[in-house]
Amino acid sequence: MAGSDTTAAPDTVKILIAGGFGVGKTTLVGSVSEIAPLRTEEPLTVAGLGVDDLVGIEEKRATTVALDFGRITISDDLVLYLFGTPGQQRFWFMWNDLAVGALGAVVLIDVRRPEASFAAVDFFERRGIPFVVGVNGFHGLHPYPPEDVRDALALPEHIPVLLCDARERESCRDVLIALIDRLIATV
């Protein structure tokens, strides 16, 4: 038809960035997003004393109470919408709503506190949502190879485990590309 607009809106894909409290989800969304990310961070308060486990993350001063949101354009016809989940157990009820429509997830872990991410792995396994594991190397440290992390989390071989640094855009991009590759392979 002459004069009609043949350009289509890009396909959008909803991706969750999940993991335990203090593993770097907000940092990852912020480092890779092409827009200023939406953050719902609030300062930690005395109300969280005895509830929030700050062992290994004593420097943490704020926490996500709802979600983080970012966007990254992969190509002219593919845009990822990134939704960072809250990590504290008292906010996990929100994960079910955030997971609606998600095609995949990145489970971010901190090897200083791997137990903080077991629930995230279980969440996606039970729902059949494809995921990859990003091992966030705080301060540039990766003391364990991916195979050791895979064994510690009892992950099957088909789930990619990647070393990353949530502060570095390229590192986060590589984790997201691995997830996209996994999603394509499962179709």
Side-chain angles (χ1 to χ4, degrees):
M1 179 183 300
S4 68
D5 183 12
T6 59
T7 59
D11 288 329
T12 57
V13 176
K14 182 178 183 180
I15 301 294
L16 295 185
I17 310 299
F21 177 55
V23 298
K25 299 174 299 292
T26 297
T27 302
L28 186 150
V29 171
S31 71
V32 78
S33 180
E34 66 194 21
I35 62 171
L38 167 71
R39 293 187 171 136
T40 59
E41 284 194 306
E42 291 295 328
L44 293 174
T45 65
V46 290
L49 291 176
V51 177
D52 299 327
D53 180 7
L54 294 173
V55 173
I57 55 171
E58 293 82 4
E59 70 282 357
K60 188 163 181 59
R61 299 290 175 250
T63 189
T64 300
V65 296
L67 62 97
D68 298 310
F69 175 78
R71 183 186 74 207
I72 183 167
T73 301
I74 301 298
S75 65
D76 289 342
D77 58 351
L78 181 61
V79 175
L80 301 183
Y81 289 152
L82 307 175
F83 289 81
T85 64
Q88 294 163 291
Q89 189 171 4
R90 65 182 174 272
F91 298 124
W92 286 355
F93 69 92
M94 299 178 70
W95 287 31
N96 287 320
D97 289 336
L98 289 171
V100 172
L103 291 187
V106 172
V107 174
L108 199 60
I109 72 161
D110 174 359
V111 294
R112 300 173 302 177
R113 304 166 59 244
E115 68 283 352
S117 295
F118 291 148
V121 168
D122 184 55
F123 180 88
F124 296 108
E125 284 179 334
R126 283 187 285 126
R127 284 161 182 78
I129 297 174
F131 66 96
V132 300
V133 172
V135 182
N136 189 16
F138 284 94
H139 310 294
L141 300 176
H142 288 293
Y144 306 103
E147 300 77 32
D148 290 355
V149 175
R150 176 184 309 288
D151 290 344
L153 294 174
L155 294 172
E157 284 295 318
H158 70 276
I159 297 176
V161 176
L162 302 106
L163 302 178
C164 67
D165 185 330
R167 301 166 299 172
E168 295 179 7
R169 181 178 177 83
E170 295 77 20
S171 179
C172 298
R173 178 205 60 209
D174 292 347
V175 172
L176 291 170
I177 289 170
L179 177 60
I180 297 292
D181 289 345
R182 176 141 195 259
L183 293 173
I184 291 169
T186 61
V187 171

